[in-house]
Amino acid sequence: MSNLVTLPKNGSLTKKDNMSNFPSLSSWFNDFGFNEFPSLFSTNFNTGITLPKVNIKDEADAFIVEMAVPGLKKQDFNINLDNNTLAISTELKDENETEKDNYTRREFGYSSFKRSFVLPDSVDNDNIKANYNDGILTVTLPKREEAKQKPARNIKIS
């Protein structure tokens, strides 16, 4: 359902030039120990939430998508289906203001993520269901009747 790309340890797409003896810029950063810092150089630190981990199970009668997103409420999610593309997203805004004798303290935060999955034609789009329990969002994508796995049977020879 999704394409996976293997990236080097630091997430860079920079390749080492085999024709020269100089290492790539990304390997220099590894040599200087920048990989010891908490992923500051390889993630989008502006979003506030990293992309949640997803498990996709292919069962006999449905695909099951499980997404680990603890600390949210079910009303925080937005799940859309558009042209066989399932999009799961959330956007959280937090503002706090404290007023004391001679100062005001304001804090605000913004967090969001969006994961998209292209669904196969075998999914019954009209019967998709979602459930959020104990920090796990589960989306059940039932298969069309003709796509469901049939049980094994013995065929008699005539």
Side-chain angles (χ1 to χ4, degrees):
M1 285 205 295
S2 63
N3 295 329
L4 300 177
V5 176
T6 303
L7 295 176
K9 185 165 85 174
N10 66 354
S12 170
L13 293 177
T14 306
K15 293 183 180 179
K16 185 175 178 178
D17 182 3
N18 291 332
M19 302 305 275
S20 76
N21 292 328
F22 294 106
S24 67
L25 183 60
S26 63
S27 67
W28 280 5
F29 281 120
N30 285 342
D31 292 342
F32 284 112
F34 286 121
N35 55 348
E36 300 299 321
F37 292 107
S39 63
L40 179 64
F41 300 107
S42 62
T43 63
N44 183 357
F45 57 86
N46 202 20
T47 60
I49 294 179
T50 59
L51 285 179
K53 303 289 184 185
V54 174
N55 291 329
I56 300 173
K57 298 178 193 174
D58 185 358
E59 296 184 350
D61 58 348
F63 294 101
I64 309 296
V65 177
E66 296 173 323
M67 183 178 291
V69 280
L72 299 177
K73 299 178 218 112
K74 68 179 184 178
Q75 59 265 28
D76 293 335
F77 296 100
N78 188 15
I79 303 174
N80 290 315
L81 180 65
D82 184 24
N83 290 332
N84 275 359
T85 300
L86 179 74
I88 303 170
S89 63
T90 187
E91 183 176 341
L92 301 172
K93 296 176 184 176
D94 183 31
E95 294 184 27
N96 294 318
E97 184 173 326
T98 305
E99 292 190 31
K100 295 264 179 161
D101 296 329
N102 52 349
Y103 73 89
T104 299
R105 181 176 114 181
R106 288 187 182 162
E107 293 182 2
F108 63 92
Y110 176 82
S111 302
S112 69
F113 75 82
K114 182 175 184 177
R115 297 284 312 253
S116 297
F117 307 92
V118 176
L119 303 182
D121 292 333
S122 60
V123 171
D124 180 2
N125 292 341
D126 295 330
N127 292 308
I128 296 173
K129 294 185 177 11
N131 181 33
Y132 182 67
N133 191 22
D134 293 333
I136 305 292
L137 176 67
T138 304
V139 181
T140 303
L141 309 165
K143 294 180 181 177
R144 296 180 193 270
E145 198 60 40
E146 61 272 12
K148 290 182 182 177
Q149 189 176 25
K150 307 290 190 254
R153 64 185 179 104
N154 193 8
I155 300 173
K156 293 184 181 184
I157 302 172
S158 55

